[in-house]
Amino acid sequence: MAKTIFITGAGSGLGRGAALGLAKRGHRVIATTEITSQKTDLMREAQEQGLDMDVFKLDITNARDRALIDNQDFDVFVANAAINEGGPLGEMPMDRFRAIFEVNVFATLETVQHAARKLVKKGSGKIVFLSSMAGIITTPYGGPYAATKHAIEGIALTLKDELEKFGVQVATINPGAYDTGFNDRAAEEKWKWFDEAKNFTRTEDMKKQEEGLKNQFDPEDMIEKMIEIIPADHHKFRTVHPEKTEKQMKETEKNRWGMEI
């Protein structure tokens, strides 16, 4: 059965791929982008593929933009918009740390509140948070993003219990490390402020950690999983993909109970 699906952050990466893919499967997609140039580009691609999609600019940190959610009718709300920035937590400038929380946690919850009010009034629907493997697993110099996604995990679990009595489902999708450029750009950001002469973190340690970016997964695989899960009526609360990442996350949680310092 076709659904109407609202997706934030559809201007790039997995969100863009999922929006186009869901439209191809016959769903009505309301795809929003952070900036107008992304809107123009997504509209062009949708037109080239013969897809009927509603596309508009919605910066989730902008209250006027967020209010546009109230004008839409949808069955599924996908809170996908996010930014990523790496760096050592012991030294990261706090304005950068606050900025990533502003988008990934505060503004994300504000958009979800708009969606929740609409779906509760309707008495049905689903909210899907794009979380991450970083919602469970932490890695050195990936702490800022992991902290926001750990927060999203707590928000989603709590909302699930609060909204189910109103007929509204809540779930997360937790991708592994996919090669969309999102993780690579995040790794680059710390070099804008990091100064080897002033900071105590060792440059070689951070560069060694970045080597892991060479082994990221093909995003098309994750997009297919999102296209499957987002409109589905029943599935696990947390969908992790690929299976290798799910096993890694479960092992991490298990091992934490025995951690010592």
Side-chain angles (χ1 to χ4, degrees), residues 11-253:
S12 62
L14 298 176
R16 179 187 178 108
L20 292 165
L22 287 163
K24 285 179 187 175
R25 300 286 175 90
H27 298 286
R28 177 177 174 246
V29 176
I30 305 167
T32 68
T33 66
E34 179 189 6
I35 56 177
T36 304
S37 59
Q38 290 175 323
K39 169 188 171 179
T40 301
D41 189 54
L42 182 55
M43 289 176 68
R44 175 194 53 75
E45 183 166 358
Q47 188 175 30
E48 287 176 355
Q49 295 188 26
L51 302 174
D52 183 19
M53 288 171 55
D54 293 332
V55 184
F56 62 90
K57 179 253 184 190
L58 193 162
D59 175 354
I60 68 170
T61 65
N62 184 304
R64 286 185 296 275
D65 282 8
R66 289 194 302 269
L68 297 173
I69 298 170
D70 298 334
N71 301 329
Q72 303 294 325
D73 184 34
F74 48 84
D75 304 302
V76 183
F77 184 84
V78 184
N80 170 73
I83 60 174
N84 192 355
E85 183 167 338
L89 282 179
E91 301 194 89
M92 185 179 193
M94 286 306 299
D95 66 312
R96 301 309 313 142
F97 192 71
R98 288 190 176 95
I100 191 170
F101 261 82
E102 188 60 48
V103 176
N104 294 8
V105 181
F106 305 133
T108 292
L109 180 55
E110 286 180 297
T111 63
V112 165
Q113 288 178 342
H114 281 273
R117 286 191 289 269
K118 290 187 70 70
L119 296 177
V120 165
K121 187 174 181 180
K122 184 189 288 191
S124 65
K126 182 168 68 171
I127 295 168
V128 180
F129 289 89
L130 251 293
S131 183
S132 169
M133 65 183 292
I136 303 297
I137 295 175
T138 59
T139 56
Y141 320 118
Y145 186 68
T148 65
K149 292 305 182 180
H150 274 64
I152 288 298
E153 291 289 317
I155 288 168
L157 280 164
T158 305
L159 272 178
K160 175 184 179 297
D161 292 338
E162 293 175 349
L163 297 184
E164 62 186 2
K165 62 178 67 70
F166 297 102
V168 179
Q169 299 173 314
V170 177
T172 72
I173 294 178
N174 300 59
Y178 282 90
D179 190 15
T180 63
F182 185 70
N183 299 317
D184 302 78
R185 303 295 80 77
E188 293 165 2
E189 283 299 305
K190 61 183 174 290
W191 302 115
K192 293 180 179 178
W193 57 263
F194 181 81
D195 184 344
E196 198 167 15
K198 297 177 181 177
N199 296 104
F200 62 75
T201 305
R202 295 186 297 189
T203 301
E204 59 267 28
D205 290 341
M206 290 192 290
K207 287 187 174 179
K208 184 178 179 181
Q209 189 70 31
E210 288 180 9
E211 290 294 311
L213 294 174
K214 295 177 180 178
N215 302 310
Q216 297 180 83
F217 303 114
D218 180 357
E220 289 302 317
D221 180 52
M222 188 67 225
I223 288 166
E224 283 301 311
K225 177 58 70 172
M226 291 170 68
I227 292 169
E228 171 196 337
I229 293 297
I230 288 169
D233 291 325
H234 300 287
H235 52 83
K236 290 181 180 179
F237 164 75
R238 179 183 291 132
T239 298
V240 180
H241 198 68
E243 186 178 345
K244 178 180 178 181
T245 298
E246 182 174 1
K247 290 178 179 178
Q248 183 183 359
M249 289 168 66
K250 288 178 177 177
E251 190 65 27
T252 295
E253 288 186 296

